[in-house]
Amino acid sequence: MTRQSLLWLFAVQSLVLAPHYFSVPGWIGLLWLGVCFWRWKIFRGAWNYPGKLAKTLIVLLATAGLVLSLGKGFSLIAMVSLLLVGSILKLLEIKTRKDFVLLLFISLLVLATQFIFFDDFLAAVYGIVCLTVIFAALLQLYQQADAQPFWLQLRTSGFMLVQAIPIMVLLFVAMPRLGAFWSMPVPESAKTGLSDSMSPGDISELSLSDELVFRATFVDKIPANEQLYWRSLVLSVFDGRRWSRDRWREQDLQSSLQPIAGWREQIDYRGDSIRYNIVAEPFAQRWLYVLGAAQVWSEELLLGRDLHLQARAPLDKRISYDVTATLDYGLDVTAEKNEKRFAPFLQLPVQGNPQTRQIAADWLRETGSVDALIEKLFAYYRSDFTYTLQPPLLGNNSVDEFLWQTRQGFCEHFASSFVFFMRSVGVPARVLVGYQGGELNRAENYLAIRQRDAHAWAEIWLQGRGWVSVDPTSAVAPQRIRSGIIESLSATERKLLSRPFGSSFELFKTLHQQWDALNFQWVRWVLNYDSQLQSGLLSQLLDDVSPWRVALLVLGVGAGSIALTFMLLFLRERRRYRPQGEHAAHTIYRQLCKKLKRAGFAPEASETPRQFLSRVIARWPAMALPLTPINDLFERLAYAEQDEVLAELKQSVRYLRLPRPPRLF
């Protein structure tokens, strides 16, 4: 193996392995550095190839490292790690050209596995760079590698990839969708987010993250920020500190494929409908995000009687779904209040928070109605409460301590205390968790909802009105609902939020939105390009999606792309070597003169090509070996008209490498 081949191989492995170091055990990177050092010593003749005993010992140590780092299970990360270790150790066995090619093919597989963990647009660009380097390494193996500059190999490889783009796009659009690496479930890399329970401090901690949760695109006008309450979960069970889901009630789910159940008759859809699409990021839970009361939703989803939307299985990959809903609705309006139906929403621990229980009963007697009681409680919230990301820790009587002592909290503190207060006087109430608001991306006119938009609010049931949404946070921090969490915090607490670099500057904010919009389009049209989207696109192109029409499309576009590529190559070669009727030999001679001019040698007006090259060789003896045959080929082509040497002359001049020129003075 030549030195250049080995360096190319090091470059290939460094690029294809780099993205995996974020997912696999860190010692694999150290193993690669050690193997590269050993392989370089072998090339220099200082060390030998590993023997059978050394190979066995290395394999045992690597296996032990994988087991200790990842356990005994056959997880996806464990399988990828095993592939990486195998490709690294293969570097110690390369002796022939066949081994070199095999390792490059393994590198292609390693490159493909990076899309299991990274699938954004930047990962695609990085993958193209890796492909360019891999193909360049293959090119130098089968061409005159010692005479071809590094940058020229990359340029040739890149030109080959450009030629393949039309065929790539055609196959991507027309071939049946059989799944891809980025659609494989990766439980190990599932993202954090809302939990199925809530205690003081949970939402405020989640709000410190800038992680993307989902993007929402509206068919028509985007509703006002005050209306953007994205419902995820309903929490009705309270143990004195933590709110959790009532799993028995949530068994009543309805698919859009099933007939309308009895509880659906309790939904009163009012006002105009809105239509929107949501692209949700992977999440290791089943619940989704819905705005308003869903009327129509994607067939693969389920709707609960409390209007929450969920998938049939945990979201281990990105999902896109459409919803038609109304923001003005009534739920359980005609229902009769009975102990059995509303018992889960009146449940309270037998003991705990006695002060709140007593004050709630006293205030209800004073006000005389639930509406007046709510108004008095909201006035109390507005009087002396602080909305903060860093509230004091609460003890066992968390509601009492928050309402009557600390008076500092985040949205979960206000929602929890409000629901407890209402239940204390016999009003059915429950906590809702989800997200509120969203960041408008003006580049593509969609909303990006992030973990910092996590929110908790409440619902109470009133006779004749049904379930009514109430947000106690709006009483103490109305700017949180109107403008988002960033505008509702003090300058000190804003620094706690995780935000992109330069987000306080308009230019950086615009660039970040442009980049996010680019990634969004990449997700919509590439990563989420499934059989349904493919069928719709082909129907628009072909009217009727039949096998023979698809085959004609593939053959026609493919043949046209190949013909266009050959025509461009022909015109490129013709333009390079025969401009304006000039003899090919003189064109090549001018290219040779340009290369030598960079080294300080230029032909004089009276010099023939032989005289010029002889002068160069006399002052630069190191160039005698490459320039002498070039001069002979030039004279055979220019004067003896031996056209068969044209290709050899072009190749010799193109790959001519100039060593360090001599000092002329």
Side-chain angles (χ1 to χ4, degrees):
M1 180 180 296
T2 64
R3 176 180 178 178
Q4 189 175 16
S5 298
L6 186 59
L7 293 177
W8 271 109
L9 206 50
F10 288 163
V12 167
Q13 284 205 327
S14 64
L15 287 174
V16 299
L17 294 176
H20 291 283
Y21 295 143
F22 295 96
S23 307
V24 301
W27 61 265
I28 294 181
L30 298 177
L31 175 65
W32 180 75
L33 292 176
V35 168
C36 288
F37 180 76
W38 192 341
R39 190 63 184 82
W40 181 252
K41 286 293 186 179
I42 294 174
F43 174 76
R44 298 292 298 271
W47 292 3
N48 294 324
Y49 284 95
K52 292 183 179 180
L53 181 60
K55 289 181 181 179
T56 303
L57 182 60
I58 293 173
V59 170
L60 290 177
L61 290 175
T63 304
L66 291 175
V67 173
L68 293 175
S69 303
L70 302 171
K72 299 179 181 180
F74 291 94
S75 64
L76 185 58
I77 291 182
M79 295 297 99
V80 173
S81 300
L82 182 62
L83 174 63
L84 300 187
V85 171
S87 65
I88 291 171
L89 296 181
K90 184 65 179 175
L91 188 60
L92 291 175
E93 293 186 330
I94 292 182
K95 297 180 180 179
T96 65
R97 176 180 293 184
K98 181 179 178 181
D99 296 332
F100 186 91
V101 175
L102 176 61
L103 187 53
L104 289 180
F105 285 168
I106 295 175
S107 299
L108 288 173
L109 180 58
V110 174
L111 171 61
T113 57
Q114 83 171 26
F115 296 109
I116 299 176
F117 309 102
F118 306 98
D119 58 4
D120 57 4
F121 183 75
L122 183 60
V125 174
Y126 186 82
I128 292 176
V129 172
C130 293
L131 276 178
T132 305
V133 176
I134 292 174
F135 291 160
L138 278 172
L139 282 174
Q140 67 84 32
L141 185 65
Y142 290 101
Q143 293 182 357
Q144 298 180 5
D146 294 334
Q148 187 174 14
F150 175 83
W151 66 269
L152 189 55
Q153 293 174 2
L154 288 177
R155 190 186 70 174
T156 305
S157 176
F159 185 66
M160 292 172 59
L161 283 177
V162 170
Q163 296 177 55
I165 287 178
I167 303 298
M168 177 197 71
V169 174
L170 175 65
L171 295 178
F172 179 82
V173 171
M175 294 299 291
R177 311 307 298 161
L178 301 177
F181 276 113
W182 55 80
S183 64
M184 297 178 64
V186 188
E188 298 90 338
S189 64
K191 299 182 179 181
T192 58
L194 291 175
S195 173
D196 59 355
S197 62
M198 184 193 74
S199 60
D202 288 351
I203 303 296
S204 56
E205 181 179 353
L206 195 62
S207 297
L208 298 177
S209 172
D210 190 55
E211 184 180 16
L212 179 67
V213 182
F214 63 94
R215 297 181 178 97
T217 305
F218 289 82
V219 175
D220 299 312
K221 183 180 178 181
I222 299 178
N225 206 74
E226 296 90 336
Q227 299 176 297
L228 296 176
Y229 282 87
W230 305 95
R231 178 192 300 245
S232 290
L233 289 172
V234 175
L235 309 179
S236 57
V237 180
F238 185 56
D239 63 2
R241 182 175 180 84
R242 178 174 293 274
W243 292 88
S244 57
R245 302 161 66 189
D246 184 354
R247 300 185 182 277
W248 290 102
R249 276 185 61 86
E250 292 185 357
Q251 297 296 325
D252 193 358
L253 297 170
Q254 182 196 354
S255 167
S256 59
L257 297 177
Q258 298 173 349
I260 293 180
W263 61 264
R264 285 290 304 279
E265 299 175 358
Q266 295 293 329
I267 305 176
D268 181 18
Y269 296 105
R270 311 163 186 161
D272 298 330
S273 298
I274 59 173
R275 292 181 296 162
Y276 54 90
N277 171 267
I278 288 181
V279 178
E281 295 297 303
F283 183 45
Q285 302 294 344
R286 297 175 59 189
W287 54 80
L288 295 170
Y289 323 99
V290 62
L291 178 66
Q295 297 171 286
V296 182
W297 57 93
S298 297
E299 296 178 353
E300 68 274 10
L301 305 182
L302 301 170
L303 184 71
R305 66 179 304 136
D306 52 18
L307 301 184
H308 79 279
L309 203 62
Q310 74 176 43
R312 299 178 186 271
L315 300 181
D316 48 24
K317 61 181 181 180
R318 191 178 287 105
I319 184 175
S320 174
Y321 57 94
D322 298 305
V323 178
T324 300
T326 177
L327 299 179
D328 185 10
Y329 63 91
L331 179 61
D332 287 343
V333 175
T334 61
E336 293 295 330
K337 183 177 181 180
N338 59 76
E339 183 177 352
K340 181 178 179 181
R341 180 165 188 176
F342 289 97
F345 309 115
L346 293 169
Q347 170 267 332
L348 287 176
V350 177
Q351 297 179 346
N353 302 296
Q355 188 176 1
T356 301
R357 298 173 191 256
Q358 183 62 46
I359 293 178
D362 294 343
W363 283 12
L364 181 60
R365 284 193 299 270
E366 294 176 9
T367 56
S369 67
V370 174
D371 289 339
L373 174 65
I374 295 174
E375 181 57 36
K376 183 169 183 176
L377 181 57
F378 269 47
Y380 178 64
Y381 282 140
R382 287 189 288 265
S383 63
D384 192 25
F385 278 77
T386 303
Y387 183 75
T388 175
L389 279 170
Q390 299 176 299
L393 296 178
L394 302 176
N396 293 329
N397 295 316
S398 58
V399 178
D400 278 359
E401 294 178 22
F402 167 67
L403 283 178
W404 319 112
Q405 298 177 26
T406 65
R407 296 184 179 89
Q408 297 180 48
F410 204 58
C411 59
E412 65 266 35
H413 298 78
F414 292 98
S416 176
S417 62
F418 179 84
V419 173
F420 188 96
F421 203 94
M422 291 295 104
R423 288 188 178 187
S424 298
V425 294
V427 178
R430 58 195 185 188
V431 175
L432 272 65
V433 293
Y435 298 88
Q436 199 281 323
E439 180 183 5
L440 176 63
N441 188 298
R442 302 184 184 279
E444 291 292 338
N445 198 36
Y446 66 84
L447 293 176
I449 291 82
R450 304 183 182 277
Q451 295 293 1
R452 65 167 178 259
D453 299 313
H455 192 56
W457 64 100
E459 276 187 341
I460 60 173
W461 187 85
L462 301 175
Q463 186 72 45
R465 297 167 61 185
W467 287 102
V468 179
S469 292
V470 180
D471 190 355
T473 302
S474 63
V476 64
Q479 63 273 29
R480 163 67 180 92
I481 310 303
R482 291 195 299 265
S483 307
I485 184 174
I486 297 177
E487 302 300 326
S488 64
L489 300 175
S490 63
T492 302
E493 291 196 332
R494 289 180 189 177
K495 298 178 181 179
L496 300 175
L497 299 178
S498 175
R499 302 175 66 189
F501 172 77
S503 56
S504 57
F505 298 97
E506 192 63 30
L507 175 61
F508 286 101
K509 183 178 179 181
T510 302
L511 291 176
H512 179 263
Q513 288 200 348
Q514 292 286 352
W515 177 252
D516 190 75
L518 178 62
N519 275 306
F520 182 44
Q521 296 302 327
W522 174 258
V523 167
R524 291 182 64 185
W525 301 109
V526 178
L527 301 185
N528 282 0
Y529 186 72
D530 54 11
S531 56
Q532 182 177 1
L533 189 59
Q534 182 187 51
S535 178
L537 178 60
L538 293 179
S539 298
Q540 293 180 356
L541 295 175
L542 304 176
D543 292 333
D544 178 26
V545 183
S546 57
W548 68 270
R549 289 197 178 193
V550 175
L552 286 178
L553 174 66
V554 172
L555 292 176
V557 177
S561 300
I562 294 174
L564 179 61
T565 300
F566 275 106
M567 184 177 67
L568 292 176
L569 288 173
F570 173 77
L571 294 176
R572 177 169 169 260
E573 295 298 320
R574 182 178 181 182
R575 188 167 54 248
R576 175 180 295 179
Y577 293 110
R578 294 186 182 273
Q580 300 179 358
E582 184 181 32
H583 195 281
H586 297 292
T587 303
I588 300 172
Y589 176 67
R590 286 194 296 104
Q591 294 175 353
L592 177 62
C593 292
K594 288 181 180 179
K595 286 191 173 185
L596 294 175
K597 187 175 182 180
R598 290 196 292 267
F601 296 94
E604 297 179 358
S606 60
E607 280 186 321
T608 63
R610 174 175 288 276
Q611 292 172 339
F612 171 56
L613 297 182
S614 298
R615 178 164 59 87
V616 173
I617 294 173
R619 295 188 181 184
W620 198 359
M623 295 299 296
L625 183 61
L627 291 183
T628 300
I630 287 178
N631 182 71
D632 294 338
L633 291 173
F634 171 78
E635 292 181 346
R636 291 171 60 187
L637 178 62
Y639 307 125
E641 297 184 357
Q642 297 179 9
D643 294 338
E644 64 272 12
V645 302
L646 174 60
E648 184 179 358
L649 179 60
K650 289 194 296 185
Q651 192 86 347
S652 300
V653 174
R654 181 185 302 177
Y655 299 142
L656 175 65
R657 297 182 64 184
L658 301 179
R660 180 176 296 178
R663 297 182 62 180
L664 302 181
F665 301 100

